[in-house]
Amino acid sequence: GEAAARAAARADAPAEVKRDEKPQRANASAGPSPASSAEAGPEPTPTPAANDAGANAGRADASERAPAAPLRFPAKSAQAAREASWDPCKLLHPGALGSFGTASIDSDRGEFQKCHVTVADGESAAEVELTMFTGEDPDGDVADQHDGVTVYSAESDGECTRDVVFGPEDRYTFSFEASHVEGSGTDLCDLVQSVADRAVADVAADDIPVRTAEPLPGSAIGRSTCALPSDGALRTALNLDDVVGPRREFAEWDCMWDGDDGRDLRLLFQRDEGYDPDDGTRFSASGHTAYERGDHWEDGCLVDVVAQRGPSPEGDGPVSELLRIHLTGESDRDTLCDDAMEVARSAASSL
């Protein structure tokens, strides 16, 4: 009980830092988280399906509930729509973790292809984070290979990971990372191995669980960041006359362009609970609240557009869906921010 309460409290504080960090691993091919309700419109009432997404995870596995129609993503390419349909929270099989403790899902932290489950047992609590990647270099050593699936294993101080790799040319990685939240009683590798084994079975059976819970009304989950900015905004930001198509990451929720003068542009979607930046200059972009946040990600300039806002499926406060525009290059920061804001205004008009 006490560990579970502490784990729930932690979901608001240290996790807040995680939610607002620059994602690092989603770019293996490239190298390298509110506005008030009045600003973003009234908060929509959560649908039963949205509430079901994680609030009852400790009682029953999502895959064991009554079947519901899978979500469709008609605005995406066929491949991106397939990727977007996979449900990372169901892949964590929270209801099957009863032997380790009480499992609680956090379904709206970070990118759409990410989910967290906290497992509390007495004085100990651990968290497993799942992130789905394309084109990722797996961590660790080969631990198992069968049915076209390879599992890589790695362990370090306070962390244990399993990377489940599959698909043509090992295109996909489901990366499971376990860490301690409270105490150290939980065997992290046993925990992460348990969820990885189930994911391997899902993949081998071509039965990867799909999303059925309704997202926020007007959610950005069905959009592609690659298609949001205009050609003119891209040419300005990249200092190019002819823009080369973007590098498309998992489900097209993260897209990147290369330009001249060291210019690199990235647009990605992330979710952040209680988003209300105190280090940004607020402006309006096509009816969306936006913030110019300068060097918040250290290099270049970061601009955030609040794409949508509503209640968390777990009922722990409002969550903001953010379109994040990050522009780096050899120019001074003021110039980079001016150009990033032009991209933000263009992209916001397409949301």
Side-chain angles (χ1 to χ4, degrees):
E2 291 183 8
R6 286 192 293 268
R10 174 188 174 271
D12 295 325
E16 185 71 27
V17 176
K18 278 190 176 182
R19 283 193 296 269
D20 205 30
E21 286 180 353
K22 176 183 177 182
Q24 296 295 329
R25 296 189 66 207
N27 299 318
S29 62
S33 285
S36 70
S37 297
E39 296 165 355
E43 291 188 2
T45 301
T47 65
N51 283 332
D52 189 53
N56 298 321
R59 276 206 313 253
D61 194 347
S63 63
E64 298 167 356
R65 300 186 190 123
L71 297 188
R72 303 296 182 187
F73 301 91
K76 294 180 178 290
S77 66
Q79 180 171 271
R82 177 172 179 260
E83 295 163 3
S85 73
W86 294 339
D87 191 323
C89 292
K90 290 180 182 177
L91 273 162
L92 284 169
H93 290 279
L97 296 176
S99 62
F100 294 95
T102 302
S104 303
I105 279 285
D106 186 354
S107 65
D108 55 7
R109 190 201 313 174
E111 297 91 315
F112 287 124
Q113 65 266 37
K114 187 187 292 284
C115 191
H116 302 76
V117 61
T118 300
V119 182
D121 180 23
E123 295 299 313
S124 297
E127 181 181 78
V128 182
E129 173 184 289
L130 166 59
T131 308
M132 303 186 291
F133 296 107
T134 54
E136 174 71 6
D137 291 330
D139 287 338
D141 302 317
V142 174
D144 191 22
Q145 278 183 305
H146 66 277
D147 294 331
V149 186
T150 304
V151 180
Y152 293 82
S153 172
E155 184 177 0
S156 60
D157 289 343
E159 290 184 354
C160 191
T161 65
R162 295 291 185 270
D163 283 359
V164 176
V165 179
F166 65 99
E169 299 181 348
D170 290 341
R171 173 176 173 81
Y172 296 112
T173 298
F174 292 167
S175 183
F176 299 86
E177 180 179 299
S179 58
H180 291 295
V181 174
E182 188 80 17
S184 57
T186 305
D187 188 308
L188 296 178
C189 288
D190 283 352
L191 180 61
V192 77
Q193 187 69 51
S194 173
V195 292
D197 285 345
R198 290 178 176 273
V200 169
D202 291 336
V203 171
D206 193 22
D207 191 25
I208 298 174
V210 296
R211 300 176 192 263
T212 54
E214 288 296 325
L216 293 177
S219 173
I221 193 171
R223 307 302 301 273
S224 166
T225 60
C226 305
L228 293 178
S230 68
D231 288 344
L234 287 174
R235 287 194 294 269
T236 297
L238 298 170
N239 196 22
L240 286 175
D241 291 330
D242 297 312
V243 176
V244 178
R247 302 192 302 283
R248 300 167 183 262
E249 297 294 336
F250 192 91
E252 298 174 354
W253 290 319
D254 187 352
C255 295
M256 289 160 282
W257 293 260
D258 297 326
D260 280 348
D261 299 327
R263 294 280 184 113
D264 290 299
L265 176 66
R266 183 181 185 187
L267 273 69
L268 72 153
F269 290 126
Q270 283 189 315
R271 298 159 300 176
D272 195 332
E273 293 171 354
Y275 177 78
D276 188 13
D278 58 5
D279 62 347
T281 302
R282 180 176 145 186
F283 65 100
S284 179
S286 295
H288 295 273
T289 301
Y291 297 88
E292 184 263 280
R293 304 188 67 186
D295 62 354
H296 186 75
W297 279 355
E298 295 185 1
D299 57 338
C301 183
L302 174 68
V303 177
D304 288 343
V305 177
V306 182
Q308 190 52 276
R309 184 173 180 268
S312 166
E314 286 75 53
D316 54 359
V319 60
S320 295
E321 294 181 355
L322 305 177
L323 171 63
R324 318 201 82 164
I325 297 97
H326 189 220
L327 180 63
T328 59
E330 299 172 3
S331 304
D332 62 87
R333 181 162 285 117
D334 287 345
T335 299
L336 291 173
C337 285
D338 287 344
D339 293 345
M341 289 171 68
E342 182 172 340
V343 174
R345 291 188 176 95
S346 172
S349 70
S350 299
L351 285 172

